[in-house]
Amino acid sequence: MDFLDQLNTSQREAVTCTEGPSLIVAGAGSGKTRVLTYRIAYLLQQGVPASSIMALTFTNKAAREMKERIAKLVSAADARYLCMGTFHSVCTRLIRPHAELLGYTHDFTIYDTTDMKSVLKAICKERGLDEKVYKPAAVLSRISMAKNCGINPAQYGMNQQLLREDREMRMYETATIYELYQARLKAANAMDFDDLLINMLRLMDISPEVRGQYQQQFRYLLVDEYQDTNYIQFLLVKRLAEPQNNICVVGDDAQSIYSFRGADIRNILNFRQVYPQAKLFKLERNYRSTQNIVNAANSLIHKNVHQIEKTVYSEKEEGTPLALQAYMDDRAEAEGVTKLIQFAHRTNGYDDIAILYRTNAQSRAFENELRKHNIPYRIYGGTSFYQRKEIKDALGYFRLAVNPRDNEALLRIIGFPGRGIGDTTMKKVATNAIEHHRAYLDVMRAPEETALDVSAATKTKLRGFAVLMDQLRALSEEVDAYEFAEQTLRITGVQTALTLDRTQEGIDRAQNVQELLNAIREFVEQRQNEGIDYTPITDFLSEVSLLTDQDDNLEDTTERVTLMTVHAAKGLEFPVVFIAGLEENLFPSQFCVKPQEIEEERRLLYVAITRAMDRCYLSFARQRFRNGQVAFNSPSRFLNDIDRHFFEIRKQSTDRFAGRFQTNTFTRFPERSVAPARPIAPVSGATSSIASSAWKTGDRVTHRVFGEGTVVRVYRDEVTENDKIEIKFDNQGTKTLLLTHARLEKI
């Protein structure tokens, strides 16, 4: 019983009260995993057989770690027969002995995501459906959502709301595809992940004997991360717990952030309505963060209407207030955060530092800036910007347009968007091209010349694609990199194809491609600042190839700054956390308009803040390049929700040393920051319109790209008025800039 001495009073009560239904509301950093682990260990010490305990988690890793910790508390022998794992793994184990009752054999196959998409792709192709509309990922998302809500194919076809949503996405045949998909899986003696849960419920419905067997065997049921359960998981847990109802669920409603995956916060909010006799335990002591961080997070989350009231507190030191920084634009934000990271690195390792953002697309600016300063980083739970599939696809079009002999680029892009040119055709093109010593595109341009063995219809498609690439090649020689990229993505249909995919994955891909355009625009602007009037796309491609090569050759070190979305950060902690992009239409997302959606976005920011142990920096950009134009940004409405007592609002000082700031008064943000972003002309710096006579040798200046420096010489052009200025920058060497584009500020 010694391990109970390691618990505080609230934790001990939650661990030792084992009979009947229990709801353990575990605030951020309050030792949730410890309580769940110790509760199981306590049951074992009380003589409950391990085989009578079922613990459901959301990851296999969490289950393994809990089992290892339990084995250390009691013994490996005692923990050996625990039924512990994810919902899907436990259901698989319970279904197999009785699979025949469901119409399957005991050795049924479980289809992973790749298998599911392959089946759906085949069904859509057989029915002659437009692959640009009926993308496997989008169709799978619709079917999975229906299954998570307990909706079968017949019910789907009668659900007016679902049918209306399908019509809006031009996916009129989703109900039919769903029916065919289920039939295809059944014929293959296979289940997908969602089927495992649904069939477990079916098994208990059709066989009272099996239901009674499992209910009698598993007398104690524990569920981790209960706020993330969906409707089917709620039903499954409820059915298994009957009739003893020795069910213990652990979670935090304030950290329910996965509704897009089907999670239903009502499961935890309504737990005591489902189980009126349930005991409520609140774990409110935060062991992770300083008092200022905990109090700031509390003041934010208390603005939500739908929640279980609790007040998390910390007994750690008061700590430093949260720092809030406003920047001119997203590029300046990345520069400012990088400087602060350099400053923080004096006392922290890079592993102690994380940059959190709302969307994956935001990583690009930070990656560029960190590379520039040779700061190692990792993308947690994702891929670095220029290695993402949609980015490599877009770059593939650019590469092939300027280099028609780039066969690898051609093979990459020929299938996206779909043009009816499949793998079999491309294998014939490749073989023919090798035989005749030609580039693949040359064969496609004139298939008759090399006697390519394909149908007349296929030849027409091949020639059409070659003509398209020839047009893009001509375009690349006429316009600058940004205009070329923008027109290419539109002409090739890439932009349209991405826009049609309204799944979360599809939205992320579209945002990433938009961010690629932002990167090209910034590259062109930077060259203009250096006095280069025309920047072809080839220059940008050369720059990117060096960046991606640098990705592969980063120094092999365990010390790296972590970059990730807030969703990926849940469950993690860092001494120093930067939360970027706190702007309306970004955080909260522009796609969140309903009250319940805004509340989830607020919970998302709560999760972000509570990842910080010692220091938390918040920032936003006053303007951001979005949807092809520069737009003003309103600060996020959530900044008003955080009590000003826990803020240190700053502006960048003229002090030359990175990371040093001054406190500054700041106007309170509007209570409702809902004004739509509006396009504006590119903003020049405060002194960019000052005549060249205003500058003199020795002036100290700052530039938003190159940092601080000293004026070496001013070149005055009386004829063209293209005055130039030569500056020796502290960290970027000597550069000559056009004054009309330089955007300089005097220090």
Side-chain angles (χ1 to χ4, degrees):
M1 304 293 287
D2 293 343
F3 60 78
L4 293 180
D5 296 335
Q6 302 171 31
L7 304 174
N8 64 36
T9 303
S10 298
Q11 291 174 332
R12 181 190 288 258
E13 291 175 354
V15 164
T16 57
C17 185
T18 60
E19 302 305 307
S22 299
L23 170 60
I24 302 175
V25 180
S30 63
K32 168 183 67 68
T33 303
R34 165 174 284 200
V35 168
L36 196 56
T37 303
Y38 280 39
R39 186 179 173 103
I40 295 172
Y42 180 76
L43 285 168
L44 294 173
Q45 280 206 342
Q46 294 300 107
V48 176
S51 59
S52 295
I53 301 172
M54 177 189 290
L56 298 170
T57 64
F58 271 80
T59 66
N60 289 309
K61 179 183 177 184
R64 284 194 303 270
E65 290 177 351
M66 283 176 58
K67 204 163 190 176
E68 290 169 2
R69 291 167 72 169
I70 292 167
K72 291 178 181 178
L73 291 172
V74 284
S75 70
D78 287 339
R80 180 179 179 185
Y81 295 105
L82 286 169
C83 180
M84 181 177 292
T86 64
F87 277 86
H88 299 100
S89 65
V90 169
C91 285
T92 302
R93 198 182 319 168
L94 300 184
I95 287 174
R96 282 206 188 275
H98 311 285
E100 290 80 5
L101 295 174
L102 296 166
Y104 297 83
T105 65
H106 73 279
D107 56 354
F108 63 83
T109 301
I110 301 172
Y111 276 10
D112 62 17
T113 303
T114 301
D115 298 323
M116 299 179 221
K117 290 181 179 178
S118 178
V119 173
L120 290 169
K121 185 175 182 179
I123 291 171
C124 293
K125 187 173 183 179
E126 290 165 11
R127 295 186 63 79
L129 301 175
D130 187 344
E131 59 186 17
K132 297 178 184 178
V133 177
Y134 291 91
K135 294 182 178 180
V139 179
L140 180 59
S141 175
R142 297 292 292 167
I143 293 174
S144 181
M145 178 275 301
K147 289 184 178 183
N148 288 337
C149 295
I151 300 172
N152 63 34
Q155 293 167 332
Y156 193 108
M158 295 184 293
N159 189 303
Q160 294 305 311
Q161 179 180 339
L162 294 177
L163 296 177
R164 182 170 59 254
E165 292 172 357
D166 287 341
R167 286 195 296 271
E168 290 173 356
M169 294 185 288
R170 295 163 52 200
M171 294 169 58
Y172 308 103
E173 299 227 17
T174 304
T176 302
I177 296 170
Y178 183 8
E179 184 177 3
L180 293 171
Y181 171 73
Q182 286 304 111
R184 197 73 55 94
L185 260 63
K186 189 67 177 292
N189 191 38
M191 301 183 198
D192 65 18
F193 294 139
D194 297 319
D195 288 336
L196 292 170
L197 307 187
I198 291 171
N199 282 329
M200 185 65 215
L201 272 173
R202 281 187 58 222
L203 179 61
M204 289 192 288
D205 282 341
I206 65 179
S207 175
E209 294 80 10
V210 173
R211 181 173 70 245
Q213 173 192 333
Y214 286 143
Q215 288 174 342
Q216 187 175 4
Q217 177 181 346
F218 300 111
R219 294 189 293 112
Y220 293 90
L221 184 62
L222 300 94
V223 186
D224 192 17
E225 304 287 6
Y226 192 64
Q227 77 281 348
D228 294 333
T229 53
N230 60 37
Y231 177 65
I232 292 297
Q233 288 165 331
F234 159 75
L235 291 178
L236 186 59
V237 168
K238 186 174 183 297
R239 193 74 50 84
L240 282 168
E242 296 169 345
Q244 299 99 332
N245 286 335
N246 289 329
I247 176 174
C248 173
V249 301
V250 184
D252 182 8
D253 57 293
Q255 297 185 66
S256 179
I257 58 174
Y258 294 120
S259 65
F260 65 94
R261 295 181 187 168
D264 191 340
I265 191 175
R266 292 174 297 182
N267 291 349
I268 191 168
L269 293 179
N270 298 337
F271 184 83
R272 285 181 293 167
Q273 295 178 24
V274 177
Y275 300 98
Q277 305 304 316
K279 299 179 181 68
L280 174 65
F281 303 95
K282 297 181 182 180
L283 307 183
E284 297 175 302
R285 180 178 175 182
N286 180 299
Y287 290 88
R288 174 188 301 153
S289 308
T290 62
Q291 293 179 29
N292 268 315
I293 291 172
V294 170
N295 291 338
N298 282 345
S299 67
L300 169 73
I301 201 62
H302 283 166
K303 303 301 188 298
N304 270 6
V305 175
H306 301 99
Q307 61 176 299
I308 299 172
E309 287 295 334
K310 61 182 176 299
T311 301
V312 180
Y313 66 93
S314 170
E315 292 186 356
K316 291 182 69 174
E317 67 278 7
E318 181 180 6
T320 307
L322 280 68
L324 175 61
Q325 175 73 50
Y327 293 99
M328 182 177 73
D329 56 26
D330 49 344
R331 185 162 40 179
E333 181 180 46
E335 293 172 2
V337 168
T338 300
K339 287 182 179 179
L340 283 168
I341 288 173
Q342 291 174 314
F343 182 68
H345 190 238
R346 299 176 187 178
T347 53
N348 297 88
Y350 284 134
D351 272 351
D352 296 333
I353 303 170
I355 304 174
L356 310 183
Y357 34 77
R358 180 63 182 82
T359 66
N360 277 304
Q362 291 170 260
S363 78
R364 196 267 310 172
F366 293 108
E367 289 185 65
N368 285 356
E369 200 63 30
L370 292 170
R371 284 195 194 97
K372 187 187 301 182
H373 293 274
N374 295 314
I375 297 175
Y377 67 89
R378 66 170 66 85
I379 305 290
Y380 183 90
T383 309
S384 62
F385 185 80
Y386 287 105
Q387 296 299 326
R388 294 169 189 164
K389 179 186 180 301
E390 59 274 13
I391 300 303
K392 293 177 79 70
D393 287 346
L395 293 175
Y397 275 103
F398 304 162
R399 285 169 48 189
L400 186 61
V402 299
N403 177 15
R405 301 190 67 81
D406 191 338
N407 294 333
E408 289 304 312
L410 172 59
L411 291 175
R412 177 173 195 94
I413 66 175
I414 192 66
F416 179 72
R419 295 182 174 83
I421 302 174
D423 292 341
T424 301
T425 298
M426 289 312 300
K427 286 177 183 176
K428 290 182 179 180
V429 169
T431 301
N432 188 285
I434 293 169
E435 289 176 355
H436 292 84
H437 306 288
R438 295 193 178 193
Y440 295 178
L441 195 63
D442 289 341
V443 171
M444 296 168 70
R445 186 180 293 108
E448 296 84 359
E449 292 183 6
T450 57
L452 181 64
D453 184 22
V454 295
S455 67
T458 300
K459 288 179 182 178
T460 300
K461 293 175 184 176
L462 294 176
R463 283 192 294 265
F465 181 79
V467 168
L468 171 66
M469 296 313 303
D470 290 343
Q471 292 172 345
L472 293 179
R473 178 167 176 77
L475 181 66
S476 71
E477 297 171 350
E478 297 170 359
V479 298
D480 70 15
Y482 176 70
E483 188 173 345
F484 168 77
E486 190 176 40
Q487 291 195 41
T488 295
L489 295 177
R490 177 172 50 80
I491 293 169
T492 58
V494 169
Q495 224 161 27
T496 301
L498 291 171
T499 302
L500 286 173
D501 187 349
R502 302 313 297 163
T503 64
Q504 187 60 51
E505 184 182 3
I507 291 170
D508 287 345
R509 285 198 294 263
Q511 290 175 337
N512 286 336
V513 170
Q514 181 60 52
E515 186 60 26
L516 174 64
L517 288 176
N518 295 352
I520 299 171
R521 177 190 61 85
E522 288 180 5
F523 182 74
V524 171
E525 280 187 359
Q526 181 175 326
R527 299 291 288 272
Q528 289 174 343
N529 289 344
E530 296 171 1
I532 302 171
D533 293 331
Y534 173 70
T535 300
I537 191 64
T538 49
D539 287 6
F540 179 78
L541 291 173
S542 298
E543 182 84 1
V544 168
S545 66
L546 295 174
L547 288 177
T548 52
D549 182 62
Q550 195 171 348
D551 278 344
D552 298 332
N553 293 290
L554 279 172
E555 182 184 354
D556 186 19
T557 173
T558 56
E559 282 269 319
R560 294 174 187 247
V561 173
T562 300
L563 279 67
M564 70 181 99
T565 63
V566 183
H567 281 103
K570 188 170 177 291
L572 304 178
E573 58 184 34
F574 301 89
V576 182
V577 169
F578 295 87
I579 307 171
L582 282 165
E583 301 138 32
E584 283 295 303
N585 297 322
L586 184 56
F587 204 159
S589 166
Q590 62 181 319
F591 302 107
C592 298
V593 294
K594 298 177 181 177
Q596 63 267 31
E597 294 170 339
I598 295 299
E599 288 211 347
E600 178 158 335
E601 290 287 294
R602 189 178 283 110
R603 293 195 294 270
L604 192 59
L605 180 55
Y606 174 84
V607 167
I609 293 172
T610 54
R611 299 311 94 197
M613 301 166 68
D614 303 318
R615 295 303 308 269
C616 184
Y617 297 86
L618 312 179
S619 61
F620 65 90
R622 296 187 181 281
Q623 63 185 46
R624 192 176 292 267
F625 196 80
R626 301 182 68 182
N627 301 320
Q629 55 193 1
V630 180
F632 279 127
N633 299 320
S634 300
S636 170
R637 71 188 73 182
F638 298 149
L639 293 173
N640 277 335
D641 294 338
I642 302 175
D643 195 308
R644 282 291 176 272
H645 289 99
F646 310 119
F647 260 139
E648 178 186 6
I649 303 172
R650 302 167 156 194
K651 69 173 183 179
Q652 193 161 7
S653 168
T654 55
D655 193 305
R656 292 176 55 193
F657 297 101
R660 301 180 67 176
F661 289 81
Q662 296 176 330
T663 301
N664 180 41
T665 57
F666 204 82
T667 305
R668 182 169 175 79
F669 306 125
E671 289 296 334
R672 296 285 293 175
S673 303
V674 294
R678 61 182 187 277
I680 59 170
V683 177
S684 57
T687 55
S688 62
S689 61
I690 297 177
S692 58
S693 58
W695 305 96
K696 63 181 184 298
T697 301
D699 281 348
R700 289 288 295 169
V701 299
T702 181
H703 185 276
R704 71 174 188 170
V705 175
F706 305 123
E708 297 178 359
T710 303
V711 175
V712 176
R713 184 178 174 184
V714 179
Y715 302 84
R716 295 181 175 85
D717 189 328
E718 302 296 337
V719 179
T720 65
E721 297 183 348
N722 286 332
D723 295 348
K724 299 179 181 179
I725 187 168
E726 183 178 344
I727 303 170
K728 183 177 182 182
F729 290 98
D730 297 348
N731 298 315
Q732 300 291 328
T734 301
K735 298 185 182 294
T736 302
L737 311 176
L738 286 171
L739 263 174
T740 54
H741 294 290
R743 305 182 184 180
L744 298 171
E745 294 184 44
K746 284 187 179 180
I747 297 178

